[in-house]
Amino acid sequence: EKKLEAPPAPPAQAEAEPEEEEEEVKPDAGKDSDKKIPDPRPHLNVVFIGHVDAGKSTTCGNILFLCGMVDDRTIEKYKQEAAGKAGESWFLAFIMDTSEEEKVKGKTVEVGRAAFETQNRRFTILDAPGHKSYVPNMIAGASAADVGVLLISARKGEFETGFEKGGQTCEHALLAKTLGVDKLVCAVNKMDDPTVQWDEKKIQ
């Protein structure tokens, strides 16, 4: 008699491999910390233009000093340096006129560039040269500006020279307009000079 053989047992199912837990990818805190958040305050490029010796570099330097962008130790250094070169009264101009040639001559040659900020805005100052020999450099500075400040010296002699043939007061204003600077502030400087004595006719 044939014995009935039991049917073969079904093959054992392979044990399911435990699912690997997905590793949580965490952002690299180091890289994120290096990324700077853009400053939301609006930014303006302001170019200072006008005839030579109108006081552009001194005015720009004074703005930076009053805004706390230059410390007292640096100011003392510039005072000593200016006394031996252009004259001690030029120390504020040395904040912008940094090259040796500019310090010795007392004239801006290249466009000076510096930044300052207020609570609501950020500014870049562009200090353009006023001498007619450096008009190409002035054009380079004005072409990058959003706003212009036309500085005019009220001192007798300097005022008239700026408006005469070859003077840069009107020339700079015209060039700035041509280069797209449609906002121009006219600032009259040196009103305290003995030849002016705060005479309002100079402004009018």
Side-chain angles (χ1 to χ4, degrees):
E1 293 182 2
K2 290 184 179 181
K3 292 182 180 180
L4 296 174
E5 296 180 359
Q13 292 182 351
E15 293 184 5
E17 296 182 1
E19 293 183 2
E20 294 183 2
E21 294 184 3
E22 293 184 2
E23 293 184 6
E24 185 180 351
V25 179
K26 295 182 179 180
D28 189 341
K31 288 182 180 178
D32 282 353
S33 62
D34 291 341
K35 293 179 182 178
K36 292 183 179 179
I37 300 173
D39 195 320
R41 293 174 297 175
H43 175 264
L44 279 178
N45 288 322
V46 184
V47 65
F48 283 73
I49 58 178
H51 191 68
V52 64
D53 291 335
K56 297 181 295 298
S57 297
T58 300
T59 300
C60 292
N62 197 30
I63 290 172
L64 295 172
F65 177 59
L66 294 175
C67 289
M69 307 305 293
V70 187
D71 57 58
D72 292 337
R73 181 180 296 180
T74 304
I75 289 295
E76 283 302 318
K77 172 192 168 187
Y78 286 146
K79 282 183 178 179
Q80 295 175 11
E81 195 175 358
K85 291 177 181 174
E88 188 175 346
S89 62
W90 289 73
F91 73 95
L92 287 169
F94 279 20
I95 297 173
M96 299 299 298
D97 295 338
T98 55
S99 75
E100 191 64 24
E101 179 185 2
E102 291 175 323
K103 290 178 179 178
V104 172
K105 289 183 176 180
K107 293 178 183 177
T108 303
V109 177
E110 300 291 337
V111 176
R113 186 184 294 265
F116 74 98
E117 57 190 39
T118 64
Q119 185 176 357
N120 299 319
R121 286 186 179 274
R122 296 174 296 126
F123 298 90
T124 296
I125 288 179
L126 302 167
D127 177 25
H131 197 279
K132 62 182 179 181
S133 299
Y134 308 120
V135 167
N137 294 345
M138 174 269 167
I139 291 173
S143 64
D146 303 303
V147 177
V149 177
L150 179 65
L151 216 61
I152 304 168
S153 171
R155 180 180 288 164
K156 187 176 180 180
E158 292 181 355
F159 178 86
E160 292 77 10
T161 303
F163 286 95
E164 290 173 357
K165 184 179 180 181
Q168 297 303 301
T169 302
C170 293
E171 179 78 8
H172 278 201
L174 181 61
L175 286 170
K177 179 67 175 176
T178 305
L179 292 165
V181 181
D182 56 2
K183 295 180 181 65
L184 188 66
V185 178
C186 290
V188 182
N189 194 22
K190 305 185 184 181
M191 288 292 291
D192 59 337
D193 190 80
T195 64
V196 184
Q197 297 183 346
W198 300 99
D199 185 357
E200 291 186 7
K201 291 180 181 177
K202 284 286 185 180
I203 301 175
Q204 296 168 353

